[in-house]
Amino acid sequence: MTEMLEHQAIGRGPARRDGVRKVTGTAPYAYEHPVENPAFCHPVQSTVGRGRITAIDTSAALALDGVLAVLTPDDAERLANTDDAELAVLQTHEVAFRGQIIGAAVAETSEVARQAADLVAVTYDQAPHDVVLSDSRDDLYRPDAVNGGFPTDSNEGDIEAALAAAEVTVTQTYTTAMYHQNPLEPHTTTARSEDGVLTLWDSTQGVHPVRKAVAKVLGLEPDAVHVVCPYVGGAFGSKGQLKANTVLAAMAARAVPGRSVRLALTRQQMFDVAGYRTPTIQHVTLAANRDGTLTGIAHDVVEQTARIKEFAEQTAVSTRSLYAAPNRRTSHRLAALDVGVPSWMRAPGECPGMFGTEVAMDELAQELGMDPVELRVVNDTEIDPDSGKPFSSRNLVACLREGAQRFGWADRDPAPRSRREGNQLVGTGVASSVYPVYRMPKSTATVRFSGGRYVAEIGAADLGTGTWTSLAQIAADALGADLASVEVRIGDTRYPEASVAGGSSGMTTWGSAVVEAARAFRAKFGADPSDGDEVEAAVQANPATDDYAMFAFGAHFVEARVDADTGEVRVPRMLGVFAAGKIINARLARSQFLGGMTMGLSMALHETSVMDPRFGHVVNHDLAEYHITANADVGEIDVGWLDEHDPHVNAMGSKGIGEIGIVGAAAAVSNAVHHATGVRVRELPITLDKLLG
Amino acid sequence: MKPFAYQAPGDVVDAVRSVAEDPAAVYLGGGTNLVDHLKLGIVSPDLLVDVTSLTSAEITDGDGGGLGVGGLSVGAAVRNSDLAADPRVRERFRVLSQALLAGASGQLRNMATTGGNLLQRTRCVYFQNVSTPCNKREPGSGCSALAVPGRPAPTHDGAGWTRNHAILGASEHCVATHPSDMAVGMAVLDARVRVLGPDGERVIPLTELHRLPGDAPERDTVLEHGDLITGVELPPMRGRSAYRKVRDRASYAFALVSVAAVLDVADGVVRDVRVALGGVAHKPWRATRAEEQLRGAAPTPANFRAAIEAELTDARGVDGLDGGNAFKIPLAAATVTAVLRDLAASETGDPR
Ligand SMILES: Cc1cc2nc3c(=O)[nH]c(=O)nc-3n(C[C@H](O)[C@H](O)[C@H](O)COP(=O)(O)OP(=O)(O)OC[C@H]3O[C@@H](n4cnc5c(N)ncnc54)[C@H](O)[C@@H]3O)c2cc1C
Ligand code: SF4
């Protein structure tokens, strides 16, 4: 068992250390990093869904005043490594999807760069494109593994036999839409190539992963690439892996050596090249006894990937661990399409997958005439059905009970469409939430004593989540020092290697590295160090994972009101109760849960990227038409958590909290809408046309 | 985005003449629509002439101005926020204040002008993307909202994303809608638009300002190049009024269907009723057939529904992506019925 920290700073709610800088506008984001005499880069994008570029005429662009360079596949630098087709920018005349970057203009101002990009004339030999996901395609294939390295399929017992023998069954198809992460800060880079060093001020979830990937693509030593990113204006997974825009910024900078080049994707361009969540088609089957005990669970998923690069969202994986049942099956099948490459988006896998499973559970509860909270309680398990290991802690039932009490669930009339207030149909719904505890294999921190203060350095990221603050709390407790005497430095490859901010793994991984370094520091220098004393240490593998399955759990409760005339849905009340180990910073954690729940509401009611199959691009590619829940859509959101003690996860006792808030939220909304109206919407988003009449 | 010149002239007659003579000159109001279009390459003028220095930013009482007591005259440069908040507008023309507040966001309304709002262009996603064919942007190039020859759509009959598109008065060349909420509110007020052209001033009924697309969808309105909107006149009105906007999120979304209505009931029958629909046509759609059917009838939900259903007899949906827009037909019927029902039921308070 890990030696646990004594919680002093941990568990309190100090305000963000970077808060004042942000609200006063003095925290420089990537595009704003002060540089002398910057140039600007604007991408040229393909206007066909597939084909071959036969000619590119750059003369009009080059003739414009202020144009410094125009990059095209004809003459752009040859990259050292083109294994990753998404990153092999301007290396081929083949067009793989509409909106792909096929050129760029570099100019003295952003306006001239944009005008020059517009003037680049491209002729194509167009080929038919194929962008339509469907579960009846005959070319669906089985990927070798799904995101996170999980097995593609799982099979235990005999689901067909369980179905045949079951007293009650649910077999339904659920679909989630294509979603774009749409962080407020677009994907931006300021790049400079000078004296053999490429410096990238890049908006990213990990400076070290960017350095490694850029060095590989450009054939540079990692030491020759310096990546800086102290602040990020949101990412939601879309800045987790290197994307074409950053490679392009680097190439543009190398085309005008010594000059700093700024590149910001427009909102529309973000819909083309900055990643997205695949749409999913989910077939869910539940078999149960009359008392609600599940005898079988099957979750078979069809989703898309890009023809040029595989990304297989692990949509059905969480279903393997959520409820017990002797007969179980999950599978993932992909259609490879002429589309941009899908990627991580907040809780890849769990988020769409728990929509299917948790709406199916609601349908089962209805079939059984059983309270949906009780159905989940009946199927709780202390052993992870997937791995066979006991959970290090599992408080799903406690979350459901606490939530039900806080929400006033007991008064609920279970009959659908049974409550009407004025012109509104009112309903409530519940859903479970689950998210794994991840620890990345590599991260290193240094702790130094300097000028009477402790300085902890690690190349970690703060996506707006609060790393600047929470890592300081961890360092303070690991050193047994005052929070005020600890300084944290992150977001720069000058600091030791840190893993990407993904999978809600940051605190477990970086926090553990900081704890190792702090403990080594104390062991070496004692309680009274001298100026300059310094120690470096790395995160270790957690041996407890051999014996335990580790997950955070939660429960969502939602009230929905549907206008009886127009079908408009409003959600005045949401409650989330989570069991996620020790909460390191109460203020920041609340904000993360609340953000996740809001994003889940947005997924339930609003978000959908409309792919036009005739052209091959997302047509509603701006924030006027890609609807994200607005303030007026968000009513009261109540967030709570249990005081959960888990001695196995890490020295802090913490589980990740960045993603669990969104998992299950959309299902709870859909279940509430069904309770209000009697209409079961299985295709997200729940728009009013699906409820009319 | 192409470089352009900017002018803020003081002399309105000279300015109108010079814009009329220069095909590459356009007026600039708050810029909330035009500047987006400059960035997207939808228009690329050489010269922007700022109307906020050319037209009035005042709202004045109609008495003495020929409008009649209770009327208002609104300068073209009056900002949407100011018009919505004006106590006279809130009191006498509730439907207009509500329509304005249902539009865009606080920040946009602070910039947007009365003239610019009327002349804002459609939000059709194909119009707004220069890489897709659009008859309105490029006459003769085709309409991407409808089926495009040579571009098969494997999942449906070939149309595009039509959620924001018309169910009334569309043509085979264009099915766009006019997106303004304010204009729908003004349509039931029998508002009149004051226009200054190179040949002098004229007044156009608001309901005749915007056109149906027909075979010339590139023309949104009856105005000629160089015509300057100088203001809007609101004659006095009688009865209660309301605006209801149905949309895909609670705020900051364009109308799927919106309804502006004025209802005047006396002696148990409808003395006067005016209904306009937004989000359904290339112009604010005055439901004249429904109005006629209701005048003199009892103000009952059944009568309201029958009247709007008569109005919608010619409505047609477009089968597009994501289910198309045929749902707007029952939605429009339900919304009009609900608005009139609620107006008829609101017995209390002074007649507004
Ligand atoms: C994200 C977003 C959401 C929005 N949501 C809504 C909504 O929900 N409902 C709604 O109604 N609107 C909405 N709008 C549109 C907004 O109302 C319009 O952009 C605004 O009213 C236009 O006014 P403006 O003064 O900024 O016009 P400008 O952009 O300056 O001009 C628009 C057009 O009118 C011309 N013009 C301007 N003034 C005159 C004049 N006096 N005479 C002749 N021509 C003139 C210009 O040349 C230009 O062609 C939204 C806009 C955005 C960007
Ligand atoms: S509906 Fe009108 S605006 Fe839209 S693409 Fe067709 S022609 Fe253009």
Side-chain angles (χ1 to χ4, degrees), chain A residues 98 114-115 118 423 563 565 568 606 612 614-615 617 623 625 628 633 689, chain B residues 1 39 126 129 131 144 146 151 158 160 163-164 244 248-250 338 341:
Chain A
R98 199 172 205 268
R114 191 165 183 165
Q115 189 189 3
D118 286 347
N423 231 23
D563 189 289
D565 294 312
E568 289 163 288
H606 305 304
D612 189 325
R614 305 166 308 163
F615 299 101
H617 73 289
L623 294 182
E625 294 306 337
I628 292 169
D633 291 288
D689 45 303
Chain B
M1 188 163 180
K39 290 191 204 160
Y126 305 102
N129 185 340
S131 73
S144 298
L146 297 171
R151 286 194 184 269
R163 202 168 174 82
N164 285 331
R244 173 133 183 215
D248 272 329
R249 64 180 161 189
R341 176 197 68 208

mmCIF file of all heavy atoms in Angstrom, chain A residues 98 114-115 118 423 563 565 568 606 612 614-615 617 623 625 628 633 689, chain B residues 1 39 126 129 131 144 146 151 158 160 163-164 244 248-250 338 341:
data_model
loop_
_atom_site.group_PDB
_atom_site.id
_atom_site.type_symbol
_atom_site.label_atom_id
_atom_site.label_comp_id
_atom_site.label_asym_id
_atom_site.label_seq_id
_atom_site.Cartn_x
_atom_site.Cartn_y
_atom_site.Cartn_z
ATOM 1 N N ARG A 98 -12.068 16.678 -47.229
ATOM 2 C CA ARG A 98 -12.354 18.082 -47.504
ATOM 3 C C ARG A 98 -11.891 18.935 -46.332
ATOM 4 O O ARG A 98 -12.137 18.599 -45.173
ATOM 5 C CB ARG A 98 -13.852 18.275 -47.709
ATOM 6 C CG ARG A 98 -14.218 19.557 -48.428
ATOM 7 C CD ARG A 98 -15.707 19.536 -48.748
ATOM 8 N NE ARG A 98 -16.043 20.383 -49.879
ATOM 9 C CZ ARG A 98 -16.412 21.658 -49.757
ATOM 10 N NH1 ARG A 98 -16.468 22.226 -48.579
ATOM 11 N NH2 ARG A 98 -16.716 22.350 -50.841
ATOM 12 N N ARG A 114 -4.394 35.923 -45.040
ATOM 13 C CA ARG A 114 -5.683 35.324 -45.371
ATOM 14 C C ARG A 114 -6.068 35.600 -46.821
ATOM 15 O O ARG A 114 -6.550 34.717 -47.527
ATOM 16 C CB ARG A 114 -6.743 35.892 -44.419
ATOM 17 C CG ARG A 114 -8.042 35.172 -44.480
ATOM 18 C CD ARG A 114 -8.902 35.549 -43.278
ATOM 19 N NE ARG A 114 -10.135 34.781 -43.299
ATOM 20 C CZ ARG A 114 -10.957 34.662 -42.273
ATOM 21 N NH1 ARG A 114 -10.684 35.233 -41.130
ATOM 22 N NH2 ARG A 114 -12.060 33.947 -42.366
ATOM 23 N N GLN A 115 -5.818 36.835 -47.240
ATOM 24 C CA GLN A 115 -6.128 37.185 -48.628
ATOM 25 C C GLN A 115 -5.265 36.364 -49.585
ATOM 26 O O GLN A 115 -5.753 35.850 -50.595
ATOM 27 C CB GLN A 115 -5.883 38.684 -48.848
ATOM 28 C CG GLN A 115 -6.380 39.187 -50.193
ATOM 29 C CD GLN A 115 -5.943 40.620 -50.483
ATOM 30 O OE1 GLN A 115 -5.218 41.233 -49.703
ATOM 31 N NE2 GLN A 115 -6.377 41.134 -51.618
ATOM 32 N N ASP A 118 -6.501 32.876 -49.903
ATOM 33 C CA ASP A 118 -7.688 32.833 -50.768
ATOM 34 C C ASP A 118 -7.302 32.879 -52.247
ATOM 35 O O ASP A 118 -8.044 32.390 -53.101
ATOM 36 C CB ASP A 118 -8.608 34.040 -50.486
ATOM 37 C CG ASP A 118 -9.350 33.888 -49.173
ATOM 38 O OD1 ASP A 118 -9.357 32.769 -48.620
ATOM 39 O OD2 ASP A 118 -9.910 34.900 -48.680
ATOM 40 N N ASN A 423 -48.198 24.687 -18.821
ATOM 41 C CA ASN A 423 -48.012 24.156 -20.163
ATOM 42 C C ASN A 423 -46.779 23.281 -20.277
ATOM 43 O O ASN A 423 -46.315 23.008 -21.379
ATOM 44 C CB ASN A 423 -47.898 25.331 -21.132
ATOM 45 C CG ASN A 423 -48.843 25.160 -22.279
ATOM 46 O OD1 ASN A 423 -49.843 24.447 -22.159
ATOM 47 N ND2 ASN A 423 -48.509 25.764 -23.400
ATOM 48 N N ASP A 563 -42.038 21.847 -23.172
ATOM 49 C CA ASP A 563 -43.188 22.670 -23.521
ATOM 50 C C ASP A 563 -44.202 21.810 -24.294
ATOM 51 O O ASP A 563 -43.869 21.215 -25.315
ATOM 52 C CB ASP A 563 -42.737 23.856 -24.369
ATOM 53 C CG ASP A 563 -43.867 24.860 -24.576
ATOM 54 O OD1 ASP A 563 -44.816 24.545 -25.323
ATOM 55 O OD2 ASP A 563 -43.780 25.949 -23.983
ATOM 56 N N ASP A 565 -46.651 22.631 -26.108
ATOM 57 C CA ASP A 565 -46.994 23.119 -27.448
ATOM 58 C C ASP A 565 -45.877 22.876 -28.455
ATOM 59 O O ASP A 565 -46.127 22.439 -29.570
ATOM 60 C CB ASP A 565 -47.266 24.636 -27.415
ATOM 61 C CG ASP A 565 -48.507 24.970 -26.602
ATOM 62 O OD1 ASP A 565 -49.540 24.315 -26.835
ATOM 63 O OD2 ASP A 565 -48.435 25.870 -25.749
ATOM 64 N N GLU A 568 -40.072 22.223 -26.861
ATOM 65 C CA GLU A 568 -38.801 22.776 -26.367
ATOM 66 C C GLU A 568 -38.465 22.166 -24.999
ATOM 67 O O GLU A 568 -39.319 22.115 -24.119
ATOM 68 C CB GLU A 568 -38.908 24.293 -26.198
ATOM 69 C CG GLU A 568 -38.963 25.065 -27.494
ATOM 70 C CD GLU A 568 -39.474 26.470 -27.260
ATOM 71 O OE1 GLU A 568 -40.685 26.622 -26.999
ATOM 72 O OE2 GLU A 568 -38.667 27.408 -27.345
ATOM 73 N N HIS A 606 -28.134 19.768 -27.501
ATOM 74 C CA HIS A 606 -27.757 20.749 -28.520
ATOM 75 C C HIS A 606 -26.727 20.296 -29.546
ATOM 76 O O HIS A 606 -26.884 20.540 -30.729
ATOM 77 C CB HIS A 606 -27.223 22.007 -27.840
ATOM 78 C CG HIS A 606 -28.165 22.589 -26.849
ATOM 79 N ND1 HIS A 606 -29.448 22.957 -27.173
ATOM 80 C CD2 HIS A 606 -28.046 22.827 -25.520
ATOM 81 C CE1 HIS A 606 -30.057 23.426 -26.100
ATOM 82 N NE2 HIS A 606 -29.238 23.349 -25.093
ATOM 83 N N ASP A 612 -22.276 17.129 -44.271
ATOM 84 C CA ASP A 612 -23.029 17.094 -45.530
ATOM 85 C C ASP A 612 -22.339 16.095 -46.455
ATOM 86 O O ASP A 612 -21.225 16.346 -46.928
ATOM 87 C CB ASP A 612 -23.057 18.485 -46.166
ATOM 88 C CG ASP A 612 -24.011 18.555 -47.357
ATOM 89 O OD1 ASP A 612 -24.113 17.539 -48.079
ATOM 90 O OD2 ASP A 612 -24.638 19.611 -47.563
ATOM 91 N N ARG A 614 -22.722 15.291 -49.405
ATOM 92 C CA ARG A 614 -22.514 15.669 -50.803
ATOM 93 C C ARG A 614 -21.187 16.397 -50.979
ATOM 94 O O ARG A 614 -20.547 16.318 -52.017
ATOM 95 C CB ARG A 614 -23.672 16.550 -51.278
ATOM 96 C CG ARG A 614 -25.037 15.884 -51.080
ATOM 97 C CD ARG A 614 -26.156 16.880 -51.231
ATOM 98 N NE ARG A 614 -25.933 18.045 -50.374
ATOM 99 C CZ ARG A 614 -26.545 19.205 -50.527
ATOM 100 N NH1 ARG A 614 -27.429 19.363 -51.495
ATOM 101 N NH2 ARG A 614 -26.290 20.198 -49.707
ATOM 102 N N PHE A 615 -20.788 17.132 -49.945
ATOM 103 C CA PHE A 615 -19.539 17.886 -50.026
ATOM 104 C C PHE A 615 -18.433 17.250 -49.184
ATOM 105 O O PHE A 615 -17.261 17.358 -49.499
ATOM 106 C CB PHE A 615 -19.754 19.327 -49.562
ATOM 107 C CG PHE A 615 -20.748 20.081 -50.403
ATOM 108 C CD1 PHE A 615 -22.049 20.274 -49.960
ATOM 109 C CD2 PHE A 615 -20.378 20.585 -51.635
ATOM 110 C CE1 PHE A 615 -22.969 20.963 -50.739
ATOM 111 C CE2 PHE A 615 -21.291 21.277 -52.419
ATOM 112 C CZ PHE A 615 -22.597 21.464 -51.973
ATOM 113 N N HIS A 617 -18.057 17.937 -45.762
ATOM 114 C CA HIS A 617 -17.608 18.749 -44.629
ATOM 115 C C HIS A 617 -18.769 19.043 -43.673
ATOM 116 O O HIS A 617 -19.932 18.843 -44.009
ATOM 117 C CB HIS A 617 -16.955 20.050 -45.093
ATOM 118 C CG HIS A 617 -17.928 21.072 -45.624
ATOM 119 N ND1 HIS A 617 -18.563 20.910 -46.828
ATOM 120 C CD2 HIS A 617 -18.360 22.252 -45.117
ATOM 121 C CE1 HIS A 617 -19.352 21.958 -47.046
ATOM 122 N NE2 HIS A 617 -19.256 22.781 -46.025
ATOM 123 N N LEU A 623 -19.870 28.896 -34.191
ATOM 124 C CA LEU A 623 -20.577 28.787 -32.914
ATOM 125 C C LEU A 623 -21.971 29.396 -32.954
ATOM 126 O O LEU A 623 -22.720 29.316 -31.986
ATOM 127 C CB LEU A 623 -19.742 29.400 -31.783
ATOM 128 C CG LEU A 623 -18.449 28.634 -31.490
ATOM 129 C CD1 LEU A 623 -17.712 29.277 -30.320
ATOM 130 C CD2 LEU A 623 -18.696 27.166 -31.205
ATOM 131 N N GLU A 625 -24.063 28.256 -35.323
ATOM 132 C CA GLU A 625 -24.869 27.109 -35.756
ATOM 133 C C GLU A 625 -24.510 25.798 -35.070
ATOM 134 O O GLU A 625 -25.344 24.901 -34.996
ATOM 135 C CB GLU A 625 -24.785 26.954 -37.283
ATOM 136 C CG GLU A 625 -25.431 28.102 -38.049
ATOM 137 C CD GLU A 625 -26.876 28.373 -37.664
ATOM 138 O OE1 GLU A 625 -27.557 27.462 -37.146
ATOM 139 O OE2 GLU A 625 -27.327 29.520 -37.856
ATOM 140 N N ILE A 628 -23.829 25.102 -28.618
ATOM 141 C CA ILE A 628 -23.361 24.645 -27.317
ATOM 142 C C ILE A 628 -24.313 25.262 -26.308
ATOM 143 O O ILE A 628 -24.734 26.411 -26.475
ATOM 144 C CB ILE A 628 -21.915 25.117 -27.082
ATOM 145 C CG1 ILE A 628 -20.980 24.382 -28.049
ATOM 146 C CG2 ILE A 628 -21.491 24.901 -25.639
ATOM 147 C CD1 ILE A 628 -19.590 24.937 -28.105
ATOM 148 N N ASP A 633 -29.698 28.141 -20.957
ATOM 149 C CA ASP A 633 -30.125 26.739 -20.931
ATOM 150 C C ASP A 633 -29.761 26.050 -19.625
ATOM 151 O O ASP A 633 -30.220 24.947 -19.365
ATOM 152 C CB ASP A 633 -29.444 25.963 -22.070
ATOM 153 C CG ASP A 633 -29.965 26.386 -23.430
ATOM 154 O OD1 ASP A 633 -31.103 26.043 -23.735
ATOM 155 O OD2 ASP A 633 -29.228 27.071 -24.165
ATOM 156 N N ASP A 689 -38.053 18.687 -32.585
ATOM 157 C CA ASP A 689 -38.792 17.979 -33.633
ATOM 158 C C ASP A 689 -39.002 16.514 -33.281
ATOM 159 O O ASP A 689 -39.943 15.889 -33.761
ATOM 160 C CB ASP A 689 -38.068 18.110 -34.986
ATOM 161 C CG ASP A 689 -36.576 17.876 -34.871
ATOM 162 O OD1 ASP A 689 -35.929 18.588 -34.087
ATOM 163 O OD2 ASP A 689 -36.064 16.959 -35.543
ATOM 164 N N MET B 1 -9.858 37.935 -47.460
ATOM 165 C CA MET B 1 -10.286 39.278 -47.058
ATOM 166 C C MET B 1 -9.458 40.316 -47.800
ATOM 167 O O MET B 1 -8.240 40.308 -47.744
ATOM 168 C CB MET B 1 -10.088 39.423 -45.545
ATOM 169 C CG MET B 1 -10.653 40.674 -44.997
ATOM 170 S SD MET B 1 -10.820 40.498 -43.208
ATOM 171 C CE MET B 1 -11.510 42.079 -42.805
ATOM 172 N N LYS B 39 -14.923 38.837 -43.859
ATOM 173 C CA LYS B 39 -13.928 37.823 -43.489
ATOM 174 C C LYS B 39 -14.148 36.539 -44.262
ATOM 175 O O LYS B 39 -13.196 35.866 -44.646
ATOM 176 C CB LYS B 39 -14.030 37.515 -41.989
ATOM 177 C CG LYS B 39 -13.558 38.626 -41.096
ATOM 178 C CD LYS B 39 -13.458 38.084 -39.686
ATOM 179 C CE LYS B 39 -13.575 39.183 -38.656
ATOM 180 N NZ LYS B 39 -13.942 38.663 -37.340
ATOM 181 N N TYR B 126 -24.876 27.423 -46.665
ATOM 182 C CA TYR B 126 -24.229 27.336 -47.982
ATOM 183 C C TYR B 126 -23.977 28.734 -48.545
ATOM 184 O O TYR B 126 -22.988 28.966 -49.233
ATOM 185 C CB TYR B 126 -25.084 26.489 -48.931
ATOM 186 C CG TYR B 126 -25.374 25.132 -48.331
ATOM 187 C CD1 TYR B 126 -26.614 24.856 -47.750
ATOM 188 C CD2 TYR B 126 -24.392 24.149 -48.300
ATOM 189 C CE1 TYR B 126 -26.870 23.625 -47.170
ATOM 190 C CE2 TYR B 126 -24.636 22.910 -47.718
ATOM 191 C CZ TYR B 126 -25.876 22.654 -47.150
ATOM 192 O OH TYR B 126 -26.113 21.449 -46.561
ATOM 193 N N ASN B 129 -20.699 30.005 -47.078
ATOM 194 C CA ASN B 129 -19.471 29.273 -47.351
ATOM 195 C C ASN B 129 -19.172 29.387 -48.841
ATOM 196 O O ASN B 129 -19.891 28.828 -49.667
ATOM 197 C CB ASN B 129 -19.670 27.806 -46.944
ATOM 198 C CG ASN B 129 -18.408 26.982 -47.086
ATOM 199 O OD1 ASN B 129 -17.483 27.356 -47.819
ATOM 200 N ND2 ASN B 129 -18.371 25.865 -46.395
ATOM 201 N N SER B 131 -17.236 28.062 -50.694
ATOM 202 C CA SER B 131 -16.842 26.859 -51.437
ATOM 203 C C SER B 131 -18.046 25.974 -51.779
ATOM 204 O O SER B 131 -17.873 24.885 -52.309
ATOM 205 C CB SER B 131 -15.793 26.064 -50.653
ATOM 206 O OG SER B 131 -16.376 25.415 -49.555
ATOM 207 N N SER B 144 -27.363 24.900 -52.930
ATOM 208 C CA SER B 144 -26.883 23.723 -52.202
ATOM 209 C C SER B 144 -27.842 23.261 -51.124
ATOM 210 O O SER B 144 -27.715 22.143 -50.623
ATOM 211 C CB SER B 144 -25.529 24.010 -51.554
ATOM 212 O OG SER B 144 -24.571 24.294 -52.528
ATOM 213 N N LEU B 146 -30.909 22.802 -51.670
ATOM 214 C CA LEU B 146 -31.706 21.825 -52.413
ATOM 215 C C LEU B 146 -30.756 20.813 -53.057
ATOM 216 O O LEU B 146 -29.547 20.914 -52.907
ATOM 217 C CB LEU B 146 -32.541 22.558 -53.474
ATOM 218 C CG LEU B 146 -33.568 23.533 -52.880
ATOM 219 C CD1 LEU B 146 -34.199 24.381 -53.966
ATOM 220 C CD2 LEU B 146 -34.636 22.781 -52.098
ATOM 221 N N ARG B 151 -24.120 15.842 -57.354
ATOM 222 C CA ARG B 151 -23.659 15.589 -55.993
ATOM 223 C C ARG B 151 -24.670 14.710 -55.273
ATOM 224 O O ARG B 151 -25.572 15.201 -54.593
ATOM 225 C CB ARG B 151 -23.489 16.890 -55.217
ATOM 226 C CG ARG B 151 -22.272 17.655 -55.640
ATOM 227 C CD ARG B 151 -21.949 18.733 -54.628
ATOM 228 N NE ARG B 151 -20.819 19.526 -55.083
ATOM 229 C CZ ARG B 151 -19.550 19.228 -54.764
ATOM 230 N NH1 ARG B 151 -19.275 18.184 -54.027
ATOM 231 N NH2 ARG B 151 -18.593 20.001 -55.202
ATOM 232 N N GLY B 158 -31.258 14.099 -51.436
ATOM 233 C CA GLY B 158 -30.258 14.926 -52.087
ATOM 234 C C GLY B 158 -30.186 16.368 -51.631
ATOM 235 O O GLY B 158 -29.320 17.107 -52.066
ATOM 236 N N GLY B 160 -29.727 19.545 -48.796
ATOM 237 C CA GLY B 160 -28.710 19.810 -47.792
ATOM 238 C C GLY B 160 -29.299 19.948 -46.401
ATOM 239 O O GLY B 160 -30.332 19.352 -46.088
ATOM 240 N N ARG B 163 -32.556 22.926 -41.809
ATOM 241 C CA ARG B 163 -33.237 23.228 -40.552
ATOM 242 C C ARG B 163 -33.608 24.709 -40.444
ATOM 243 O O ARG B 163 -34.612 25.062 -39.839
ATOM 244 C CB ARG B 163 -32.319 22.831 -39.398
ATOM 245 C CG ARG B 163 -33.037 22.598 -38.110
ATOM 246 C CD ARG B 163 -32.141 21.921 -37.086
ATOM 247 N NE ARG B 163 -32.840 21.840 -35.818
ATOM 248 C CZ ARG B 163 -33.728 20.902 -35.526
ATOM 249 N NH1 ARG B 163 -33.998 19.949 -36.370
ATOM 250 N NH2 ARG B 163 -34.359 20.921 -34.361
ATOM 251 N N ASN B 164 -32.747 25.563 -41.021
ATOM 252 C CA ASN B 164 -33.016 27.004 -40.959
ATOM 253 C C ASN B 164 -33.783 27.490 -42.181
ATOM 254 O O ASN B 164 -33.827 28.691 -42.433
ATOM 255 C CB ASN B 164 -31.701 27.781 -40.889
ATOM 256 C CG ASN B 164 -31.077 27.694 -39.511
ATOM 257 O OD1 ASN B 164 -31.801 27.544 -38.523
ATOM 258 N ND2 ASN B 164 -29.776 27.759 -39.435
ATOM 259 N N ARG B 244 -43.125 35.285 -29.750
ATOM 260 C CA ARG B 244 -42.604 34.018 -29.215
ATOM 261 C C ARG B 244 -41.665 33.393 -30.240
ATOM 262 O O ARG B 244 -42.016 33.238 -31.395
ATOM 263 C CB ARG B 244 -43.752 33.061 -28.920
ATOM 264 C CG ARG B 244 -43.262 31.676 -28.536
ATOM 265 C CD ARG B 244 -43.956 31.147 -27.326
ATOM 266 N NE ARG B 244 -43.406 29.858 -26.975
ATOM 267 C CZ ARG B 244 -44.113 28.866 -26.477
ATOM 268 N NH1 ARG B 244 -45.417 29.020 -26.287
ATOM 269 N NH2 ARG B 244 -43.524 27.729 -26.154
ATOM 270 N N ASP B 248 -33.529 26.224 -31.108
ATOM 271 C CA ASP B 248 -32.856 25.009 -30.658
ATOM 272 C C ASP B 248 -32.117 25.155 -29.333
ATOM 273 O O ASP B 248 -31.630 24.182 -28.794
ATOM 274 C CB ASP B 248 -31.901 24.492 -31.737
ATOM 275 C CG ASP B 248 -32.630 23.549 -32.699
ATOM 276 O OD1 ASP B 248 -33.569 22.878 -32.256
ATOM 277 O OD2 ASP B 248 -32.248 23.484 -33.886
ATOM 278 N N ARG B 249 -31.949 26.357 -28.852
ATOM 279 C CA ARG B 249 -31.492 26.515 -27.469
ATOM 280 C C ARG B 249 -32.148 27.759 -26.904
ATOM 281 O O ARG B 249 -32.740 28.545 -27.651
ATOM 282 C CB ARG B 249 -29.970 26.542 -27.347
ATOM 283 C CG ARG B 249 -29.297 27.699 -28.020
ATOM 284 C CD ARG B 249 -27.767 27.679 -27.866
ATOM 285 N NE ARG B 249 -27.170 28.541 -28.885
ATOM 286 C CZ ARG B 249 -25.885 28.629 -29.145
ATOM 287 N NH1 ARG B 249 -25.005 27.934 -28.459
ATOM 288 N NH2 ARG B 249 -25.441 29.437 -30.086
ATOM 289 N N ALA B 250 -32.022 27.953 -25.596
ATOM 290 C CA ALA B 250 -32.854 28.956 -24.940
ATOM 291 C C ALA B 250 -32.492 30.385 -25.333
ATOM 292 O O ALA B 250 -33.322 31.287 -25.220
ATOM 293 C CB ALA B 250 -32.756 28.788 -23.421
ATOM 294 N N ALA B 338 -50.738 28.648 -29.806
ATOM 295 C CA ALA B 338 -50.391 28.907 -28.407
ATOM 296 C C ALA B 338 -50.296 30.405 -28.129
ATOM 297 O O ALA B 338 -50.780 30.892 -27.096
ATOM 298 C CB ALA B 338 -49.077 28.213 -28.067
ATOM 299 N N ARG B 341 -53.789 31.915 -28.199
ATOM 300 C CA ARG B 341 -54.505 31.409 -27.027
ATOM 301 C C ARG B 341 -54.077 32.180 -25.772
ATOM 302 O O ARG B 341 -54.903 32.647 -24.992
ATOM 303 C CB ARG B 341 -54.189 29.908 -26.849
ATOM 304 C CG ARG B 341 -54.785 29.257 -25.620
ATOM 305 C CD ARG B 341 -54.077 27.923 -25.335
ATOM 306 N NE ARG B 341 -52.691 28.145 -24.918
ATOM 307 C CZ ARG B 341 -51.693 27.282 -25.111
ATOM 308 N NH1 ARG B 341 -51.917 26.129 -25.723
ATOM 309 N NH2 ARG B 341 -50.492 27.559 -24.691
#
